[in-house]
Amino acid sequence: MADILPPLKPIPIKERLSVLYIEYGHLDVLDGSFVVVDKNGVRTHIPVGGVVCLMLEPGTRVSHAACALAARVGTLLVWIGEAGVRLYSAGQPGGARADRLLYQAKLALDDELRLKVVRKMYALRFGEEPPQRRSVEQLRGIEGARVREMYKRIAGQLGVQWKARNYDVEDWDQGDVANRCLSAATACLYGVTEAAVLAAGYAPAIGFIHTGKPLSFVYDVADVYKFETVVPLAFRIAAKNPVNAEQQVRLACRDSFRETKLLERIIPGIEEMLAAGEIPRPAPFEEQVSPAIPNQESIGDAGHRT
Amino acid sequence: MLVIVLENAPPRLRGRLAVWLLEIRAGVYVGNYSVKVRDHIWSQVETGIGEGNAVMAWRTNNEAGFDFVTLGTNRRIPVEIDGAKLVSFLPESDANSQKA
């Protein structure tokens, strides 16, 4: 009898493949690995530990063992609707590290600190310092105008018909091609961003610019990278007006994430945005009780549950 | 780039490797990971290989451009010749006597 295999641990997000979409089939665990079994009994192995997040499209069923395996290797399962309209997500509940959570909450609750973080997000996004003495509200206004301008400019350059960003989650097919491509592309970006936020130990719901959504912070972070990664490629594909536009967009997203080394940059990027608040991370209080069973060493990211 | 080949390995190890790597043929796994993750994966092979044997090769910045390690007995054994790592292939009788 051979020894029992060592317990599974997550590996760093930056070494992984960005997203995989799974459509139709039963996700299960066979001999300890993640498989998708289709209705003909064909098995496809998914290297689940080597992927940042799995997007599960309608038509998939997931076993308990599969969820447990995904959680052990720190892979986010994201349940999405057709063509990437987000429905639901799970796998790793947010806020795995109290110290990071307190740090994030402190930055978000103090108006002055929050403004610093928002200004940093603005600077990272547009590559220049935002104008002085503006409130978060005013910055949001400036940002909105700049974003509309950028959509128009990029659409113009790539020869896409562009009126405005609009989409209806209830009636997906009503949207024009450019908007549909953009929605599919941002869904990819939100998926990997959420996984990165969770892996870094922060809470997706505590946003700085966005508020009131379960993924507010994810939108904040994703917006920083949106125009350099997914927007141009969504418009480039929309300009060709292909039959299966959404799928083309996803494939292009994966290439783009690899080329821009997004996964390597995204967690350090989050740290940089929050560091703009210029406050130290909270140290544990003297009278605090440390865990009875200390955390195990892991090669995964700081907030990964093991 | 990382390649692992298993022979006569227990199914649970084969399943475990498929958590990170792609099994492109029976017992042949490929992937692309850092040194740290590679060591982590290899430690799983060391624990789980049982009666079988395994080899892992990866791309690295040496003269050959790659390096490899082996585990368990096989007719092919790594030898160092003149600073280069090569493989000797034992005749069948030798391999059997080596096993015994």
Side-chain angles (χ1 to χ4, degrees):
Chain A
M1 174 73 198
D3 295 329
I4 298 166
L5 288 170
L8 278 167
K9 285 180 189 167
I11 63 170
I13 291 276
K14 66 179 179 201
E15 290 196 39
R16 304 184 187 205
L17 196 72
S18 54
V19 267
L20 276 184
Y21 281 80
I22 296 171
E23 197 184 23
Y24 304 120
H26 193 141
L27 279 62
D28 212 336
V29 174
L30 288 175
D31 291 334
S33 67
F34 202 91
V35 289
V36 186
V37 187
D38 74 6
K39 65 174 190 290
N40 299 322
V42 177
R43 303 174 189 176
T44 309
H45 275 176
I46 307 289
V48 66
V51 185
V52 174
C53 65
L54 288 179
M55 299 277 201
L56 308 182
E57 291 187 85
T60 53
R61 288 151 51 114
V62 192
S63 73
H64 180 278
C67 290
L69 180 59
R72 280 201 191 107
V73 296
T75 300
L76 186 67
L77 297 181
V78 183
W79 278 261
I80 57 169
E82 222 159 336
V85 183
R86 172 70 68 77
L87 292 181
Y88 185 64
S89 117
Q92 321 168 59
R97 293 258 305 237
D99 58 342
R100 310 258 167 152
L101 211 52
L102 290 167
Y103 176 61
Q104 186 187 3
K106 189 168 187 177
L107 289 165
L109 284 170
D110 184 316
D111 280 343
E112 204 174 304
L113 299 178
R114 187 163 69 97
L115 181 59
K116 283 186 184 174
V117 174
V118 170
R119 288 181 63 86
K120 184 72 189 178
M121 286 172 169
Y122 185 108
L124 284 172
R125 182 175 187 180
F126 298 116
E128 62 182 47
E129 283 297 315
Q132 293 293 320
R133 286 195 290 280
R134 297 290 197 283
S135 67
V136 171
E137 190 57 41
Q138 286 167 320
L139 283 178
R140 198 183 294 142
I142 299 169
E143 184 188 4
R146 279 191 82 148
V147 164
R148 279 191 295 277
E149 188 56 38
M150 278 164 97
Y151 277 134
K152 216 154 101 190
R153 183 168 51 78
I154 298 172
Q157 278 169 1
L158 297 166
V160 184
Q161 283 283 335
W162 183 254
K163 286 193 223 59
R165 177 86 177 109
N166 70 60
Y167 49 91
D168 184 357
V169 282
E170 302 296 323
D171 200 355
W172 175 253
D173 289 322
Q174 282 304 306
D176 58 23
V177 185
N179 268 300
R180 269 177 22 229
C181 285
L182 214 46
S183 295
T186 47
C188 292
L189 183 61
Y190 293 152
V192 293
T193 309
E194 180 177 2
V197 166
L198 291 172
Y202 295 107
I206 305 179
F208 292 81
I209 301 168
H210 295 82
T211 182
K213 288 280 184 84
L215 299 180
S216 296
F217 189 50
V218 172
Y219 301 143
D220 283 359
V221 175
D223 276 353
V224 169
Y225 302 103
K226 197 180 269 176
F227 281 90
E228 59 163 304
T229 51
V230 299
V231 173
L233 74 86
F235 281 159
R236 206 171 306 134
I237 285 157
K240 291 186 212 140
N241 200 4
V243 190
N244 45 1
E246 278 97 354
Q247 199 198 5
Q248 299 270 335
V249 168
R250 290 170 192 172
L251 296 180
C253 278
R254 203 176 300 157
D255 290 343
S256 160
F257 294 161
R258 200 186 62 235
E259 281 158 21
T260 57
K261 294 198 183 341
L262 180 72
L263 299 179
E264 280 175 43
R265 294 193 292 139
I266 198 160
I267 290 179
I270 293 169
E271 302 292 347
E272 192 183 347
M273 289 168 216
L274 298 182
E278 291 170 327
I279 55 163
R281 289 172 176 283
F285 300 114
E286 256 173 51
E287 74 280 12
Q288 247 168 14
V289 181
S290 45
I293 302 162
N295 287 336
Q296 282 182 314
E297 272 294 307
S298 170
I299 52 172
D301 293 297
H304 267 140
R305 287 151 196 265
T306 49
Chain B
M1 183 75 180
L2 168 67
V3 181
I4 295 180
V5 181
L6 302 182
E7 279 175 5
N8 190 24
R12 65 171 174 283
L13 175 63
R14 296 183 51 180
R16 178 56 70 87
L17 290 192
V19 168
W20 304 283
L21 303 164
L22 199 61
E23 189 172 7
I24 51 171
R25 283 290 182 272
V28 181
Y29 298 82
V30 291
N32 189 17
Y33 290 113
S34 71
V35 178
K36 216 167 186 178
V37 174
R38 187 211 306 149
D39 288 346
H40 171 66
I41 294 174
W42 188 243
S43 75
Q44 311 253 339
V45 179
E46 284 173 336
T47 315
I49 192 68
E51 298 295 294
N53 68 82
V55 59
M56 174 170 74
W58 62 92
R59 199 187 123 96
T60 186
N61 192 21
N62 62 12
E63 211 167 10
F66 65 90
D67 201 358
F68 64 96
V69 286
T70 61
L71 200 66
T73 53
N74 191 289
R75 284 174 68 193
R76 289 167 216 275
I77 50 168
V79 288
E80 181 124 347
I81 292 174
D82 208 17
K85 208 168 171 184
L86 302 173
V87 169
S88 294
F89 188 55
L90 303 181
E92 219 154 330
S93 56
D94 279 22
N96 288 339
S97 67
Q98 199 201 21
K99 211 177 255 177

Coordinates of all heavy atoms in Angstrom, one line a residue, chain A residues 1 13 28 55 59 78 121 125 161 187 213 221 230 234 238 244 269 284 295 297 299:
Chain A
M1 N 0.9 -1.2 0.0 CA 0.0 0.0 0.0 C 0.9 1.3 0.0 O 1.7 1.4 0.9 CB -0.9 0.0 1.3 CG -1.8 1.2 1.5 SD -3.1 1.3 0.3 CE -3.5 3.0 0.5
I13 N -2.2 32.4 -8.4 CA -3.1 32.8 -9.5 C -2.3 33.1 -10.8 O -2.8 32.7 -11.9 CB -3.9 34.0 -9.1 CG1 -4.9 33.7 -8.0 CG2 -4.6 34.7 -10.3 CD1 -6.2 33.1 -8.5
D28 N -17.7 16.2 -12.3 CA -17.5 15.2 -11.2 C -16.1 15.0 -10.9 O -15.2 15.5 -11.6 CB -18.2 13.9 -11.6 CG -18.8 13.2 -10.4 OD1 -18.3 13.4 -9.2 OD2 -19.7 12.4 -10.5
M55 N -16.0 29.0 -15.7 CA -17.3 29.6 -16.0 C -18.3 28.5 -16.4 O -18.0 27.8 -17.4 CB -17.2 30.6 -17.2 CG -16.2 31.7 -16.9 SD -17.1 33.0 -16.0 CE -16.0 34.4 -16.3
G59 N -26.7 24.2 -18.5 CA -26.5 22.9 -19.1 C -25.5 22.1 -18.3 O -25.2 20.9 -18.6
V78 N -17.8 29.9 -11.3 CA -18.7 31.0 -11.6 C -19.9 30.5 -12.4 O -19.6 30.0 -13.5 CB -18.0 32.1 -12.3 CG1 -18.9 33.3 -12.6 CG2 -16.8 32.6 -11.6
M121 N -6.8 54.7 -8.4 CA -7.5 53.9 -9.4 C -7.6 54.7 -10.7 O -7.3 54.2 -11.8 CB -8.8 53.5 -8.9 CG -8.8 52.4 -7.9 SD -10.5 52.1 -7.2 CE -10.2 50.6 -6.3
R125 N -5.7 53.9 -14.2 CA -6.5 53.7 -15.3 C -6.2 54.5 -16.5 O -6.2 54.1 -17.7 CB -7.9 53.9 -14.9 CG -9.0 53.6 -15.9 CD -10.3 53.7 -15.3 NE -11.3 53.3 -16.2 CZ -12.6 53.3 -15.9 NH1 -13.0 53.7 -14.7 NH2 -13.5 52.9 -16.7
Q161 N -20.0 50.5 -35.4 CA -21.2 51.4 -35.1 C -21.3 51.5 -33.6 O -21.4 50.5 -32.9 CB -22.5 50.7 -35.7 CG -22.6 50.9 -37.2 CD -23.1 52.3 -37.5 OE1 -23.7 52.9 -36.7 NE2 -22.8 52.7 -38.7
A187 N -17.5 40.1 -18.9 CA -17.8 39.0 -18.0 C -16.5 38.1 -17.7 O -16.3 37.7 -16.6 CB -18.8 38.1 -18.6
K213 N -23.3 46.6 -4.7 CA -23.4 45.4 -5.4 C -22.5 44.3 -4.7 O -21.5 44.7 -4.1 CB -22.9 45.5 -6.9 CG -23.9 46.3 -7.8 CD -25.0 45.5 -8.2 CE -25.9 46.2 -9.2 NZ -25.5 46.2 -10.5
V221 N -11.8 47.2 -9.5 CA -10.5 46.7 -10.0 C -10.5 46.4 -11.5 O -9.6 46.8 -12.2 CB -10.1 45.5 -9.2 CG1 -8.8 44.9 -9.7 CG2 -9.9 45.8 -7.7
V230 N -9.9 44.3 -22.5 CA -11.1 43.7 -23.2 C -11.8 44.6 -24.2 O -12.4 44.2 -25.1 CB -12.0 43.1 -22.2 CG1 -11.4 42.0 -21.4 CG2 -12.6 44.1 -21.3
A234 N -13.0 43.5 -27.9 CA -14.4 43.3 -28.1 C -14.9 44.1 -29.4 O -15.6 43.6 -30.2 CB -15.2 43.8 -26.9
A238 N -16.3 42.8 -32.9 CA -17.6 43.3 -33.3 C -17.5 43.9 -34.7 O -18.5 43.7 -35.5 CB -18.1 44.4 -32.3
N244 N -20.4 33.5 -34.4 CA -20.4 33.2 -33.0 C -19.5 34.2 -32.2 O -18.4 33.9 -31.8 CB -19.9 31.8 -32.7 CG -18.7 31.4 -33.6 OD1 -18.2 32.3 -34.4 ND2 -18.2 30.2 -33.5
G269 N -1.5 44.8 -8.4 CA -2.3 46.0 -8.7 C -3.2 46.3 -7.6 O -3.4 47.5 -7.2
P284 N -2.4 42.8 14.8 CA -3.3 42.2 15.8 C -3.1 42.9 17.2 O -2.0 43.3 17.6 CB -2.8 40.8 15.9 CG -1.5 40.7 15.2 CD -1.4 41.9 14.3
N295 N -2.1 28.4 10.6 CA -2.3 28.1 9.2 C -1.1 27.3 8.7 O 0.1 27.6 9.1 CB -2.4 29.4 8.4 CG -3.7 30.1 8.7 OD1 -4.7 29.4 9.0 ND2 -3.7 31.4 8.5
E297 N 1.6 26.3 5.8 CA 2.4 26.9 4.7 C 1.7 26.5 3.4 O 1.3 25.4 3.2 CB 3.8 26.4 4.7 CG 4.8 27.2 5.6 CD 4.9 28.6 5.1 OE1 5.3 28.8 3.9 OE2 4.7 29.6 5.9
I299 N 1.7 27.4 -1.1 CA 2.4 28.2 -2.1 C 1.3 29.0 -2.9 O 1.6 29.7 -3.8 CB 3.1 27.3 -3.1 CG1 2.2 26.1 -3.6 CG2 4.4 26.7 -2.5 CD1 2.9 25.3 -4.7

